[in-house]
Amino acid sequence: MLRETEARDRTAFIELLASPEVHTYLGGPRPRDALERELPDVPERWPGSFAVDLDGAMIGQILLRRPARHRPAVVGKVDLGYLFLPRAWGFGYAAEACAAALGWFDHVLPGEPVVLATQTANLGSMRLAAKLGFTEVERFHAWDAEQWLGTRSPVTPSS
């Protein structure tokens, strides 16, 4: 289930952001002690930010946002991002949650394209992008690794 973040999610956010496994392809984890000091009581709360809830506990986060700075192919488009706790990997939760978030987005902003960037070495994320209907726009080198940028054609409202 997708829902707004709540104060009870703070511990899961710290776990997500401090996890070496989660951040293998994202530049590395943040120090847990810094997160404990800096993270607000209710993290990441705005339209397009969702906690992924399984049986009453947060297992991941989905973000749909317009990045302030990015590659020229992304300017003005919404970027899909996601993080899941390692214990939730391999069960299809990411595909289900991302599809639900994209469905929400298509309802709120019909006709808007969505982009997704990931390292080509992140095979799970590459498979997820394909499953969600993203197609390659470009590959580029950043953060000492080859990156993949895909786009999802906008869903147009039916007449």
Side-chain angles (χ1 to χ4, degrees), residues 51-92:
V52 181
D53 187 294
L54 178 66
D55 299 328
M58 182 180 150
I59 61 165
Q61 176 190 30
I62 308 283
L63 296 171
L64 287 159
R65 62 183 172 201
R66 292 187 201 277
R69 296 179 312 192
H70 219 306
R71 305 209 39 88
V74 175
V75 173
K77 296 181 178 82
V78 170
D79 180 63
L80 172 66
Y82 42 85
L83 298 173
F84 283 83
L85 294 169
R87 67 177 174 269
W89 295 356
F91 298 100

Side-chain angles (χ1 to χ4, degrees), residues 13-23 29-33 35:
F13 269 102
I14 291 170
E15 191 177 343
L16 271 173
L17 298 173
S19 168
E21 296 87 4
V22 171
H23 288 273
R30 293 191 47 206
R32 185 175 292 276
D33 60 336
L35 290 166

Side-chain angles (χ1 to χ4, degrees), residues 101-120:
L102 289 167
W104 169 85
F105 180 80
D106 291 338
H107 176 74
V108 172
L109 291 169
E112 290 279 329
V114 178
V115 295
L116 182 155
T118 189
Q119 278 191 24
T120 56

